[in-house]
Amino acid sequence: MSKIDSPRQSRRSFLAAGAGVAASVLAKPALAGGGNPANQPPNVPEWTKALGEGVAVRPYGKPSKFEKDVIRRDVEWLTASRESSVSFTPLHELEGIITPNGLCFERHHGGIAEIDPADHRLMIHGLVERPLILNLEELKRYPRVNRIHFMECAANSGMEWRGAQLNGCQFTHGMIHCVQYTGVSLRTLLEEAGVKTTGKWLLVEGADAAAMDRSLPIEKALDDCIIAYKMNGEALYPEQGYPMRLVVPGWQGNLWVKWLRRIKVGDQPWHTREETSKYTDLLPSGKARRFTWSMDAKSVITSPSPQAPIKHGKGFTIISGLAWSGNGKVKRVDVSLDGGRNWWPTRLDGPVLDKALTRFYYEFDWNGEPLLLQSRVQDETGYVQPSKAELRKIRGVNSIYHNNGIQTWHVQANGEVENVEVA
């Protein structure tokens, strides 16, 4: 691989050639998008020759039919049943930091619970002075908060521990989404219930067929947890826990119990199945880490990537990606074009929020030669995303959860991209 231009050289050459780029794009509309030449300038396109549909024909809006492939996808062979399985967010098709509600990945242990809110109640009991039973409307009468946070499954990238497996960032990194949650601070409800001084842990339990439950330390519950009933301004979707779910910012997704029905306050963790045989990290010594809640800093280039190859040929190219940290805000993201030998700073664009996705961009002139693309994030605590080799030295290859190693995409000369690893 030849020497890569520095960011300064790339940016300067792009700015100098800016007018030329615009002229080139305008001169080649057919090459840029294909399609029917009869609908392209100087002709009058067919959709301007007749009236379109009126208002309320589509009472609940949905994307254009030309975006029908932008959907969640699953991997059928990954799990034994569809009820206890996962679908993946199409990260390669999205921009900004907010995930549309219909594209938020799913992870269920007993299928989607379809719950009539009139029949649903949230119970708070155990080591409290005043046990509470609340319906949805009563919950909405408490002071509400709006916060944007990412939610990542602990198993995101879990298939990659032993090497490159799945060819697309939708499948390697798509068990994450980021939305604005509206709800009630859990601290408010715990104070209303009056937690006794002996109350140190919570058991949070869902109303799904699996009765999914986890133990949550009281310090986290009082810090920033939310009982949410809306996402991105509308009611939670059934697959995201309608009518209410727990939000645990920065911590692994299985703690964000959906269809939340019960919170019991106790003086110690419950050591349930999910905390003993399931959500643990097996180490090379044979011992397993437990209660590994926080999601460490991680990043991925979403475009170009295997499902988003470079189609325009050499020239000005935009690298787009996402970074996040369960320990706070993203401080910086660097990218490498040559498999980690050289690193260049990216441009963070949009809000940089606590425990939320952060969008980054890197623009450069691609000379058409193969690339080994990587991104590396540093969060505000100083933590730097490790390489997969560094992670394996400590964790081995038998883990499933918490793989935040650096991802590598191989861009070929024809623009196609594949999932690879570099030594």
Side-chain angles (χ1 to χ4, degrees):
M1 184 179 299
S2 64
K3 179 182 178 182
I4 301 296
D5 288 344
S6 73
R8 182 180 298 275
Q9 289 171 322
S10 297
R11 203 158 292 158
R12 183 169 58 233
S13 60
F14 164 67
L15 291 173
V21 169
S24 175
V25 169
L26 291 174
K28 301 177 180 178
L31 291 177
N36 182 2
N39 284 328
Q40 298 170 4
N43 301 318
V44 177
E46 56 186 326
W47 47 85
T48 66
K49 299 176 183 177
L51 295 174
E53 293 178 335
V55 298
V57 172
R58 307 174 192 190
Y60 194 94
K62 60 182 181 180
S64 164
K65 62 182 180 182
F66 302 106
E67 300 294 325
K68 61 181 174 56
D69 292 330
V70 183
I71 55 175
R72 293 182 289 222
R73 290 185 170 83
D74 64 350
V75 179
E76 292 189 13
W77 51 262
L78 196 60
T79 54
S81 79
R82 307 299 290 277
E83 291 78 18
S84 181
S85 190
V86 60
S87 67
F88 301 86
T89 296
L91 298 178
H92 60 292
E93 295 281 8
L94 304 179
E95 286 295 337
I97 66 170
I98 297 297
T99 311
N101 289 341
L103 296 178
C104 291
F105 83 94
E106 306 159 276
R107 171 71 173 106
H108 313 312
H109 294 75
I112 300 170
E114 289 281 1
I115 295 178
D116 182 344
D119 296 336
H120 187 76
R121 299 291 185 275
L122 170 63
M123 179 170 62
I124 300 177
H125 67 129
L127 297 177
V128 298
E129 300 291 346
R130 298 171 292 278
L132 300 176
I133 296 180
L134 303 170
N135 63 32
L136 180 60
E137 294 308 312
E138 290 168 332
L139 185 66
K140 290 180 177 178
R141 295 185 63 189
Y142 284 88
R144 60 191 64 174
V145 297
N146 290 282
R147 296 187 193 136
I148 296 174
H149 292 298
F150 78 82
M151 196 276 273
E152 182 180 21
C153 178
N156 201 18
S157 308
M159 287 291 292
E160 304 292 300
W161 274 107
R162 298 191 178 190
Q165 298 289 328
L166 301 172
N167 216 25
C169 71
Q170 179 169 12
F171 304 110
T172 59
H173 291 73
M175 293 166 73
I176 189 170
H177 55 67
C178 184
V179 307
Q180 183 183 59
Y181 293 99
T182 303
V184 180
S185 169
L186 182 51
R187 170 185 280 272
T188 299
L189 296 180
L190 292 176
E191 289 177 346
E192 175 82 358
V195 176
K196 296 181 179 178
T197 56
T198 52
K200 304 298 182 185
W201 287 81
L202 309 182
L203 179 73
V204 290
E205 181 183 82
D208 59 326
M212 178 70 185
D213 60 21
R214 288 302 309 263
S215 299
L216 181 71
I218 191 76
E219 293 84 1
K220 181 65 174 177
L222 295 173
D223 180 23
D224 57 4
C225 292
I226 304 168
I227 297 178
Y229 44 80
K230 289 185 180 293
M231 51 193 292
N232 292 333
E234 60 180 343
L236 296 176
Y237 280 22
E239 59 268 36
Q240 300 300 329
Y242 179 84
M244 60 184 74
R245 78 173 307 168
L246 185 62
V247 170
V248 190
W251 286 21
Q252 60 191 39
N254 58 81
L255 287 148
W256 299 45
V257 171
K258 297 183 286 192
W259 313 289
L260 183 65
R261 64 173 294 270
R262 186 165 74 103
I263 298 175
K264 183 176 183 180
V265 181
D267 58 1
Q268 57 186 330
W270 274 260
H271 306 292
T272 66
R273 186 193 76 144
E274 309 298 340
E275 296 160 347
T276 53
S277 68
K278 298 303 177 184
Y279 288 96
T280 61
D281 308 317
L282 183 59
L283 299 174
S285 64
K287 294 184 178 180
R289 302 193 309 167
R290 297 181 58 204
F291 296 136
T292 49
W293 299 301
S294 182
M295 303 305 293
D296 284 328
K298 189 172 177 179
S299 68
V300 65
I301 292 172
T302 57
S303 178
S305 62
Q307 295 165 288
I310 299 175
K311 297 180 179 178
H312 55 62
K314 63 183 180 181
F316 179 67
T317 301
I318 299 175
I319 292 175
S320 177
L322 291 165
W324 60 94
S325 173
N327 296 313
K329 296 179 180 178
V330 168
K331 181 178 180 180
R332 63 177 292 163
V333 181
D334 297 318
V335 298
S336 176
L337 309 181
D338 54 11
R341 284 182 290 179
N342 296 284
W343 292 93
W344 312 110
T346 67
R347 174 171 58 87
L348 306 185
D349 193 278
V352 179
L353 304 174
D354 182 61
K355 303 179 184 68
L357 294 185
T358 297
R359 176 64 61 177
F360 65 85
Y361 293 108
Y362 179 82
E363 297 96 0
F364 73 112
D365 286 310
W366 182 41
N367 62 11
E369 294 187 355
L371 305 170
L372 291 171
L373 296 182
Q374 297 179 333
S375 63
R376 181 180 65 187
V377 60
Q378 180 180 1
D379 69 21
E380 63 180 348
T381 71
Y383 177 89
V384 178
Q385 183 181 4
S387 68
K388 290 185 178 179
E390 291 172 327
L391 205 55
R392 287 172 183 143
K393 284 182 181 178
I394 300 172
R395 301 276 304 283
V397 296
N398 292 319
S399 283
I400 298 174
Y401 307 114
H402 297 277
N403 183 352
N404 67 321
I406 291 172
Q407 174 66 43
T408 306
W409 302 129
H410 177 214
V411 181
Q412 303 176 49
N414 63 3
E416 294 181 355
V417 184
E418 61 180 341
N419 180 11
V420 300
E421 288 200 25
V422 295

